[in-house]
Amino acid sequence: MPHTPEPDEDDLDAIAPPQPVFHAEQALLGALLLDPHRLDDVNGIAADSFSTAPHAALYAAIRTLPRPDPAEHAKNTKWLDRVLATALEEARGLTASYLHALVQVCPWPRHAPAYARMVEAEHARRRLLAAAERLVHTVHDVSLPHPVQTVLAEADALAAVVDDIANRFPPRSGVLPRTPAPPPTAADDTEAVEEEQLLLATATARPDDIDAVRWLIPDDLTLPLHAGLWQCLTTLARRDEPIDPVTVLWEAQQRGLLDDGSEPGEILRMLAEPAGSVGHWAERALQRSLLATAEHTGRRVEAYAGDSANTPFQLVAGARRALADIAAVRTRWQNAAGATPPQQRRAAPATRAGPPTTTAAHAARPTRATR
């Protein structure tokens, strides 16, 4: 076997990242280079499971080339030379010294299945992180003509990744990520505030339309005051009591909604300026709620997948719990849109329902609604 390379002989060694998976990849490749027949014990991974292009190219070459005769392989480096030549087509920085270094750093070739499982677990974490990042990016893509449908499609893609990981690493009951979930994103959304004010005023002026939007719940609104006023309206409607700005204000007082310093006169003025339809503004609020929920779900999964201490079992459990929030609001969106399949739903409003802020409603400081 050729000599051990000096540190300056191989730039790959000099710039190797410190992540443990890199060393697991080296150990696995070393085991396969030393004993190619151990490929029979390795499953669940492909070339793209590796964290670097050189490692991916080496694994692809090892799997592609015919295995050498064990006796001949022990006497010469012909098969290693063929592996290097094949891998160089995809990764020009590889050297013969690096292949021999891989063989030397492998602790136990018979542990190849364990090394492969480590590589598979880290690849699962990277896949989950990438899917969550795509979901968050899609939520904020204001160029989308139909944001809800596109965001839900990305949520489905994230769920598919979770399901695939679960098949490879069946979750254990009660094992959740140790990583704290990030707080909801709080943002000042003037458009959302104005549209919710119009919703409340229009519902006050046309209380008979409230029953038709039962799929809208107080948590869909961005401000605690607005959420409370919507609850006042739905409660009065359910009781079949008179509804007008004064009766809504009185119900708000009974619920303690004025304790934050909101002025009765301002609430009366807000409730006295209806426009449009209750259904339109309610659907806009629900769309904003769905997008906000999707963003928070994506950020939760990002946080889980970004913590390398979380096992695949924990990632699956945490991601599924986060995705359940999207499923709940999605059902209400389908009810609002007529429960039609995604490709048949009516087009989303021409104007995007603003940046998602709904999930921050209860975490945000109560804000007085004004116009």
Side-chain angles (χ1 to χ4, degrees), residues 186-206:
D188 180 17
D189 190 344
T190 303
E191 182 181 48
V193 171
E194 292 178 349
E195 290 186 358
E196 290 173 8
Q197 289 174 346
L198 290 171
L199 166 67
L200 296 169
T202 307
T204 301
R206 303 180 180 89

Side-chain angles (χ1 to χ4, degrees), residues 64-283:
T64 302
L65 292 173
R67 301 178 195 179
D69 176 77
E72 287 296 319
H73 185 54
K75 297 177 181 177
N76 57 61
T77 63
K78 291 181 179 179
W79 187 76
L80 293 180
D81 294 338
R82 288 196 293 270
V83 168
L84 176 61
T86 302
L88 278 172
E89 297 176 7
E90 300 295 332
R92 303 303 299 175
L94 283 167
T95 63
S97 63
Y98 187 65
L99 269 65
H100 294 297
L102 291 175
V103 172
Q104 293 175 349
V105 300
C106 176
W108 294 100
R110 66 174 180 268
H111 291 170
Y115 304 146
R117 193 65 166 168
M118 297 173 194
V119 172
E120 183 182 9
E122 183 65 14
H123 183 230
R125 190 178 69 82
R126 292 198 304 270
R127 290 176 59 206
L128 190 62
L129 180 61
E133 289 173 344
R134 285 195 300 270
L135 176 59
V136 173
H137 174 77
T138 303
V139 169
H140 290 279
D141 187 352
V142 297
S143 68
L144 298 174
H146 306 297
V148 170
Q149 290 89 332
T150 308
V151 166
L152 289 177
E154 286 296 338
D156 289 341
L158 173 59
V161 172
V162 174
D163 289 343
D164 182 64
I165 296 173
N167 290 333
R168 297 168 180 266
F169 300 87
R172 299 166 181 167
S173 60
V175 181
L176 291 173
R178 66 163 199 169
T179 314
T185 302
D188 180 17
D189 190 344
T190 303
E191 182 181 48
V193 171
E194 292 178 349
E195 290 186 358
E196 290 173 8
Q197 289 174 346
L198 290 171
L199 166 67
L200 296 169
T202 307
T204 301
R206 303 180 180 89
D208 290 343
D209 295 341
I210 294 176
D211 187 61
V213 295
R214 285 179 295 178
W215 33 262
L216 187 71
I217 63 176
D219 284 348
D220 290 325
L221 305 186
T222 60
L223 298 182
L225 176 62
H226 291 178
L229 290 173
W230 182 250
Q231 191 167 25
C232 292
L233 281 161
T234 56
T235 299
L236 292 173
R238 186 174 63 252
R239 295 174 184 166
D240 198 24
E241 295 183 9
I243 295 179
D244 62 37
V246 174
T247 61
V248 174
L249 177 65
W250 185 257
E251 182 71 17
Q253 176 180 271
Q254 302 304 301
R255 294 175 176 271
L257 296 181
L258 307 185
D259 295 346
D260 67 347
S262 297
E263 296 181 8
E266 292 183 356
I267 294 178
L268 287 174
R269 284 191 292 274
M270 178 185 71
L271 296 177
E273 299 180 11
S277 69
V278 173
H280 171 74
W281 299 123
E283 188 168 324

